[in-house]
Structure formats: structure tokens, C-alpha cells
Amino acid sequence: MTYSRLFCNASLIRQNLRQHGWIGILYTLVLLFMLPLQLFADGARLENKIEIDSLFGFGTNIYAVLIAFPIIAGLFLSRYLQSKGSSDLMHSLPLRRSHLLSSYTLSGLLLLLPPIWITSVVTMLVRPLEGNMYIYHGAEVWEWCLTLTVLSLFLFAFTLFVGICVGQTVLQSVVTLILLVLPAAILMFIDMHLNRYLYGYPDSIGSRESLKDWAPMLRIADMSYSPFSPTELWVYALLFAAFLTLSFVLYRKRHSEKAGQAMAFTYFNPLFKAGVMLCSMLLALSYFGSIKQETGWIVGSVVAGGGIGYILVEMVLRKSWHILNRKLPLEMAVYSILLGLLLYVPVSGLTGYETRVPASGKVSAVFAGGNYADLMQRPYNAPNTAPAEETDIFSKDPKYIEAVTALHSAIVTAKPGQGDPMWNHGYLSYYRFTLSYKLKSGGTLMRTYQVPSVGFEPELKTVMGHVDYKRVRYRISQMNKNAESIRMSNLDKAFSISDPQEVKEFKDILTREVLNMSYEDQVSDQRSRASIRVLQKTDKDGIQSYFTYDWYPSYHELGAWLEKKGYADKVRITEADVRSAEMFIDMNHSKLPPGRMYDPESRLELARSEKRAIMVKDKTLINGILEHRRNYNRREGEYAVKIVYKNGSSNYISLDQQEMSPALKALLP
């Protein structure tokens, strides 16, 4: 009796359980079907028992169930706040508001938590049964139970909090779902905005994948592949306590006559308007900005997006489309200007972001290369810790730091490609560079650029020729880590090296070849003679990683070793593997329709019609073509060859006129 008088009302709880008990019953049945019964259903296909380290892989739609039921419980139990009749009735009872809310909160917990605990107990009880082909332990069941308990508490408390802030059940459900995704959506739109209009802004490195951590709904949807860490569970537990506390605080100040209104607290209206307008602006900017990069088009999309957002939010707040009054144009203009400045200032020159280059003396370590995202990507099933594969992808060499800052300075001075798509530069090749600095002050600075090969040769040569660039670019440390075998392949030819001594010799030579590559070797269009796959030892999960390299003609030491061991001929392509080789002079591209201008087959047909193509039948000449073949470059006036192999495959290659023999040139004078 004292408990009911001081904390909650037992009669009200019983009434809630009778009225909404179907939620708990259905939740229990669904969880039992998705875990214990699923264990037996999946196990029926197995012949032997297998051990698992997580129960989250069962029930692929568990995330939908976990999100739906706590939100449904929160909506139904807060319904009395949104209906005027129910609100007047409940608030006329001789109960304090804290008693009302605590009674409804406890009712929700009684609907949501017992189903999880019952399912966990059943999962433990069926563990030794013969039909259960999965081996798991109490720790896995405890992890599953704790995770669902914490997340259910958070989702229920959050739905309840939203219900106290708004006055309509439909709006409550919509706002709840939107807010569970909104943090990631806002961050993604802002990232797209900065990336599009701020020169040098780095892509969210691995980031768009990590944005889900900021959106509970997306994070829950991913838990089958990435279970929640203890830290994440603590965060959600604290959020549950915070939203529950805020609910009690705000409920004391909520007026009962706000039932049926869009917002229960008028001081939330400006935030609501600004949030909807900002999302509408970013959405319009991301869509229309991708169509045309013109100032008028961009400004118009921002204005239109802001106007539409403002009109929508006004209609929601007033529950009518009759929103015109004298204050509306002025208020909309004020909101639009302030939010427009919020979008413009970060991408303007006022911040100095685009021209900022750290002095080399203030840099402690630096990374430069195009594979930063790959290096920083978390391995499959790895914990949420630092994921870099390289032992240290940053270089502390002062000369390398000076080379990178010099390249950076040249880029921000010239700003290559700003405002022009790459394809407007014809055949000019670009190199993607992410520059990441660790500053001595403890901060970091990162930029990403598309650097053209022409005009930056001195700076690129200094950076790309440095051993630290090649060490990280070609993942040398990973190649030497736990390597088990080597596999080389070319078309349908392949062989493997598994002898430990030969594997070691091969790795050592390949490492030297890669680290000795000149800038010219790295940027040349030389075609690989064969693909090299360095296979690592199988890990505890049965996964075998590998890294791929190429055997280039410039790898003379490696070529000599393969010849000595008798491996070279096992992958080398010769004229015996070629069915036909048709050489042509690649020119007069403007005669082709725009849609076929870059199609090599169309170019060959044009060359045939203009008698600029010929079949090469001499075996010596074909071997010469294979020896000096380069990647097909589509340059005007270059020699190109269509090679059809006996295995049915074909490809187009280009030839350097300086490497062609006189006899080969004479075929097409």
C-alpha cells in the first residue's frame, strides 16, 4: 500500500496490463519463434553440431521486432496524453503526475522485459536438447538478453519522451522514427554538402559506414553482423536514464489542454521549424546541386527547400493549410537567411580551410596516398577499435613530410579541377591523394584531392618515389605477415608456390622490386605480365586473407628468378595462346557518335572502314606485341591491337611506337 501511494498506482498498472497485455504476449511469441525455435529449424539442416559465439545471427528480422515493440508500447501507453478525453479523465484522478507517469512506465517495462527474459531462459533450457545442433554457452545468452533489455528500455523511454513533447499520436510515431535516424542523416547530408562545395574536404573515410553508430535504428539493424560492445550498452543505458528523467521533469510542466496540439511546449517550435527547414534545404541542395553546379541553381534550390520546409512545418503546427498572415513572409525570410548563412559560411573562403597547409616543422607524422580508406577500414567481425591494417601508416621522416607539404602547397595554389569534372580534361590521368597530418600540437589535419599527372611531376615524383609512400601504398608489411603461399595467374594459366623457402625468396624479391619502383614505373601504363596473389595463413574463423600484386616488365630480378625456377613459362602468354591479333591506328574519333566515341569496338570498326586495320599473322611479331603491350589508352593516333585468345577471351591493348619493331610498323605505314 505504501509502495502504491508513494511511487505508482497498482490499479492503474493492472488496468494497463489488461488493456495492452497483447503487446507483451505477442512480443514473447515472436521472440520465441525467432530464437529458440529458429535454432531447431536451422539445426535440422546440419549433420554435426557447430559452436557459435553469438546468438544475434539468428532471426534476420530481429532488429525490426526489437524496434517495433518498444515503440508500439510507448505509443499506446502514452496515448492518454494525446487524446483530450483521456487526458482530462486521467488528470482528474486524485493522483500526482509523477504517480501517473511512473505507473505507465512500469506498465511498459512489464510488457517488454519479461518476454526477453522468458526467451533467454528457454534458450538456456533447450541448449542440451538433441535437436539443437548449435553449441553455445551462458555468456552468449546473457549477452543477447542484456542487449535486448537495454535497447528495449532505451526505445521505450525515448518514445515516451517524444510523446510528452508532442500532442498527437501520429506525429509522435513519425517524429520518433525520424529522430532515431536523423543524426546519421544530418551528418551524411552535411558531409555531402561540405564534400561538394569545400575544396579538399576529405570523404568520410570509412565514415559513411560508421555513421550508423549515430543513428540507433541503423545501429540496431546492423547488430546481427556487429553486436553491441559494452561501451555502447552503457551509453544506451545512460540515454534511457536521461530520457526517463527528462520525461518526468517535462511532464510536470506540460499543460493537459495541449492534447491534440502538434507541440506540447511552444518553446520547441523554433527548434522544430529550424530543424525541418535545415533538413529540407540540405535535401534540396544535395539533389539539385548534383544536377547543376551553378550559383543561381544552388541558391534557388536552397531557397526553394527552405520555403517548402517552412510551409510544411507551419501547416503541421497549426493543423491547417490556412497559414498566410502578415508575419509569415518576414519570419520565413529570417529563418532562411540564418540557415542559409549556416550552410554558406563553412564552405566560403572566410574560414581559410581551402588554403590551409601546415608548416613542415609543425608536423610530427604524415600520410599521403589513395588507399587511406582501405587501410582504416575495420576487418570483418573486428571490435570497434583502431582498424588500421598497417602497423604504422604514418611516416615521421622529415624529408617525406617536406615533400608532402610541398605537394599540398602546389595543389592549393593551382586548385586543379576545381569546378571542372575530371572527364573534361580528355585523357589527362588523375591520382587520388588523401593527405593526413599528425600535428605536434596534438591535432590532425586531413585533405583529399584529385591531382593531375601533368603540371605536378616534380612534387609527385618526390612523394611517390619515397620508400614510405610505397611501403604503405603496396602494403608491404601485410605481404610479409603470415604469408603461406604464392599464386600467380594469367588468363587460364596459373601455378602456386607453397615451399616455405621459395615463398620467402619470392617475397623478399617482390618487396625489393616494389620498393625500388621509380615514379615513372608507378605511373606508366605498362601491362602486367601476370597477377600475383600472396595468400596468408587461415585465421581462427577459417578465413584466408590475400593481397594482390602484379608482375610488371620492369621487375627484372623477379623475372630472372621465375625463369630460373621454371615458373615463368607457366603463366607467360605467347603467340601459341593467341587466336588472332588485329592491329589498327586509333584515330578520327570525332567521326563516331558521342555515345560510341569511347567504345574500342566502334573504333576498330571505323579503322576497318578506313583501311587502317590489319591482321598480324607472323608469330614473331605477335610475340613482340605481347612483350610490349600496354593498357589501352584511347589516344588519338596511337597504335592499338585487339587480341583474341584461344580460351575465348579478348582485350584491347596499346603499343608505344618507340618500342615497336620496324617490321611491325611497316604493316600500317
Side-chain angles (χ1 to χ4, degrees):
M1 190 70 179
T2 302
Y3 180 85
S4 297
R5 186 171 63 252
L6 295 180
F7 300 102
C8 57
N9 186 275
S11 299
L12 194 57
I13 294 175
R14 286 194 295 270
Q15 173 62 26
N16 287 331
L17 294 180
R18 282 196 297 268
Q19 186 176 1
H20 306 298
W22 61 271
I23 298 176
I25 295 173
L26 187 58
Y27 196 21
T28 303
L29 294 176
V30 172
L31 288 180
L32 288 173
F33 175 79
M34 300 195 72
L35 185 57
L37 291 179
Q38 195 70 36
L39 291 172
F40 286 90
D42 290 350
R45 299 179 288 103
L46 301 175
E47 296 182 359
N48 300 312
K49 289 193 173 186
I50 61 173
E51 186 171 356
I52 56 176
D53 56 5
S54 175
L55 294 174
F56 290 103
F58 295 94
T60 54
N61 295 321
I62 185 67
Y63 65 89
V65 174
L66 176 58
I67 292 172
F69 279 92
I71 293 178
I72 291 173
L75 291 174
F76 276 92
L77 289 172
S78 60
R79 181 76 180 91
Y80 80 98
L81 292 170
Q82 323 298 14
S83 173
K84 185 168 180 56
S86 299
S87 178
D88 292 340
L89 174 63
M90 297 305 300
H91 292 119
S92 66
L93 296 175
L95 294 172
R96 295 180 180 179
R97 289 199 170 193
S98 58
H99 288 176
L100 282 175
L101 188 57
S102 59
S103 299
Y104 278 91
T105 301
L106 185 57
S107 300
L109 301 186
L110 291 175
L111 292 175
L112 296 173
L113 299 186
I116 299 173
W117 299 341
I118 291 172
T119 304
S120 301
V121 172
V122 172
T123 304
M124 279 296 296
L125 293 177
V126 302
R127 187 165 58 103
L129 296 183
E130 184 177 352
N132 186 1
M133 302 299 290
Y134 293 98
I135 301 174
Y136 52 88
H137 306 89
E140 286 77 37
V141 179
W142 167 250
E143 178 190 21
W144 187 90
C145 177
L146 181 63
T147 300
L148 264 65
T149 298
V150 172
L151 294 178
S152 294
L153 290 173
F154 161 74
L155 291 170
F156 174 74
F158 182 72
T159 306
L160 202 62
F161 167 76
V162 174
I164 291 174
C165 295
V166 303
Q168 299 172 1
T169 301
V170 174
L171 184 61
Q172 178 188 359
S173 61
V174 173
V175 171
T176 300
L177 293 174
I178 289 177
L179 290 179
L180 289 175
V181 181
L182 187 62
I186 288 289
L187 290 174
M188 184 185 71
F189 280 127
I190 291 175
D191 179 76
M192 292 171 60
H193 174 66
L194 296 177
N195 184 265
R196 180 173 292 160
Y197 301 109
L198 195 59
Y199 186 71
Y201 181 80
D203 291 335
S204 309
I205 310 282
S207 55
R208 289 185 183 172
E209 177 65 18
S210 66
L211 285 179
K212 66 178 183 296
D213 296 338
W214 292 90
M217 186 179 294
L218 301 180
R219 181 63 186 93
I220 292 172
D222 193 55
M223 72 178 184
S224 297
Y225 308 98
S226 178
F228 282 78
S229 66
T231 302
E232 289 178 299
L233 292 180
W234 272 111
V235 170
Y236 280 101
L238 293 175
L239 288 175
F240 158 72
F243 284 120
L244 194 60
T245 303
L246 287 173
S247 298
F248 277 91
V249 172
L250 292 176
Y251 187 37
R252 295 175 59 186
K253 300 181 179 181
R254 176 185 165 120
H255 299 294
S256 58
E257 61 268 19
K258 290 295 183 178
Q261 300 296 317
M263 299 299 294
F265 302 98
T266 55
Y267 44 81
F268 283 161
N269 287 355
L271 180 62
F272 188 39
K273 291 180 183 179
V276 173
M277 287 184 68
L278 180 62
C279 293
S280 181
M281 285 178 169
L282 287 170
L283 183 61
L285 192 61
S286 64
Y287 176 74
F288 292 104
S290 63
I291 299 175
K292 280 189 180 181
Q293 290 292 316
E294 296 178 0
T295 304
W297 193 264
I298 294 171
V299 173
S301 65
V302 172
V303 172
I308 293 173
Y310 182 84
I311 292 172
L312 288 176
V313 76
E314 279 291 321
M315 288 192 294
V316 170
L317 290 174
R318 300 189 190 185
K319 297 196 298 183
S320 172
W321 59 274
H322 296 287
I323 61 174
L324 291 177
N325 57 37
R326 294 179 180 180
K327 295 182 179 180
L328 186 140
L330 178 61
E331 186 177 278
M332 184 170 64
V334 171
Y335 274 101
S336 298
I337 292 173
L338 292 177
L339 293 174
L341 289 174
L342 183 64
L343 294 176
Y344 170 72
V345 171
V347 298
S348 68
L350 300 175
T351 61
Y353 181 94
E354 296 182 349
T355 58
R356 189 177 300 127
V357 179
S360 58
K362 297 182 179 180
V363 178
S364 60
V366 69
F367 168 87
N371 59 336
Y372 188 79
D374 294 335
L375 293 169
M376 297 304 293
Q377 187 168 3
R378 265 199 314 257
Y380 177 74
N381 276 346
N384 297 337
T385 54
E389 291 184 350
E390 290 290 333
T391 305
D392 185 6
I393 66 172
F394 288 85
S395 171
K396 298 181 180 179
D397 188 338
K399 292 185 177 179
Y400 188 56
I401 293 174
E402 289 181 6
V404 174
T405 54
L407 173 63
H408 194 176
S409 298
I411 293 171
V412 300
T413 300
K415 291 188 176 180
Q418 188 179 33
D420 296 319
M422 280 198 306
W423 47 84
N424 284 351
H425 294 277
Y427 300 110
L428 185 61
S429 58
Y430 276 69
Y431 303 106
R432 183 178 183 81
F433 268 89
T434 294
L435 309 179
S436 181
Y437 302 93
K438 287 185 177 181
L439 305 179
K440 293 181 179 179
S441 62
T444 59
L445 187 147
M446 185 182 297
R447 300 289 187 270
T448 298
Y449 302 100
Q450 297 285 356
V451 185
S453 57
V454 176
F456 293 86
E457 293 90 341
E459 293 83 6
L460 288 173
K461 186 173 183 178
T462 307
V463 172
M464 296 176 66
H466 198 279
V467 65
D468 283 344
Y469 171 85
K470 290 178 283 189
R471 173 181 61 85
V472 178
R473 167 65 181 83
Y474 300 101
R475 300 187 181 186
I476 298 301
S477 65
Q478 290 298 314
M479 178 178 65
N480 293 321
K481 180 181 178 182
N482 297 326
E484 183 179 50
S485 62
I486 308 290
R487 177 178 171 83
M488 295 187 68
S489 61
N490 191 5
L491 296 180
D492 55 350
K493 295 185 174 183
F495 72 91
S496 295
I497 302 174
S498 56
D499 180 78
Q501 181 61 32
E502 289 191 343
V503 170
K504 183 180 184 305
E505 292 178 9
F506 188 99
K507 287 192 308 176
D508 292 342
I509 295 173
L510 181 59
T511 299
R512 287 195 296 271
E513 294 283 23
V514 171
L515 295 180
N516 289 333
M517 289 178 71
S518 64
Y519 167 74
E520 290 75 17
D521 290 334
Q522 295 180 67
V523 302
S524 71
D525 56 357
Q526 57 181 331
R527 195 173 184 87
S528 169
R529 289 182 173 176
S531 174
I532 302 170
R533 179 173 292 184
V534 181
L535 291 92
Q536 296 184 337
K537 294 179 181 178
T538 304
D539 62 16
K540 62 179 182 179
D541 297 321
I543 299 174
Q544 186 175 38
S545 301
Y546 63 87
F547 291 88
T548 303
Y549 300 87
D550 288 291
W551 173 23
Y552 288 115
S554 58
Y555 290 179
H556 301 298
E557 183 182 0
L558 180 62
W561 187 88
L562 291 172
E563 292 282 359
K564 178 182 176 182
K565 296 292 184 178
Y567 293 133
D569 290 336
K570 293 183 178 181
V571 290
R572 182 185 286 121
I573 300 298
T574 65
E575 55 82 22
D577 303 299
V578 175
R579 178 178 298 168
S580 65
E582 188 172 7
M583 186 173 67
F584 62 100
I585 301 177
D586 200 3
M587 58 190 297
N588 296 337
H589 307 152
S590 58
K591 294 183 179 180
L592 292 171
R596 299 174 59 192
M597 187 174 294
Y598 300 102
D599 177 35
E601 194 67 32
S602 299
R603 295 186 174 200
L604 176 56
E605 292 175 2
L606 177 63
R608 288 169 179 165
S609 65
E610 296 180 351
K611 302 188 183 303
R612 290 183 283 103
I614 189 171
M615 283 289 183
V616 181
K617 299 181 179 180
D618 185 271
K619 296 181 180 180
T620 303
L621 295 181
I622 292 177
N623 280 327
I625 291 173
L626 296 173
E627 182 69 20
H628 300 292
R629 65 188 186 276
R630 294 179 174 270
N631 293 324
Y632 182 54
N633 54 38
R634 296 184 176 87
R635 293 194 183 100
E636 180 77 13
E638 293 284 336
Y639 285 82
V641 183
K642 178 184 180 181
I643 303 177
V644 179
Y645 301 96
K646 291 183 178 179
N647 68 351
S649 63
S650 64
N651 58 31
Y652 285 82
I653 58 99
S654 292
L655 295 173
D656 189 333
Q657 296 187 40
Q658 296 181 354
E659 297 175 344
M660 294 173 62
S661 65
L664 190 60
K665 287 183 181 180
L667 296 177
L668 286 172

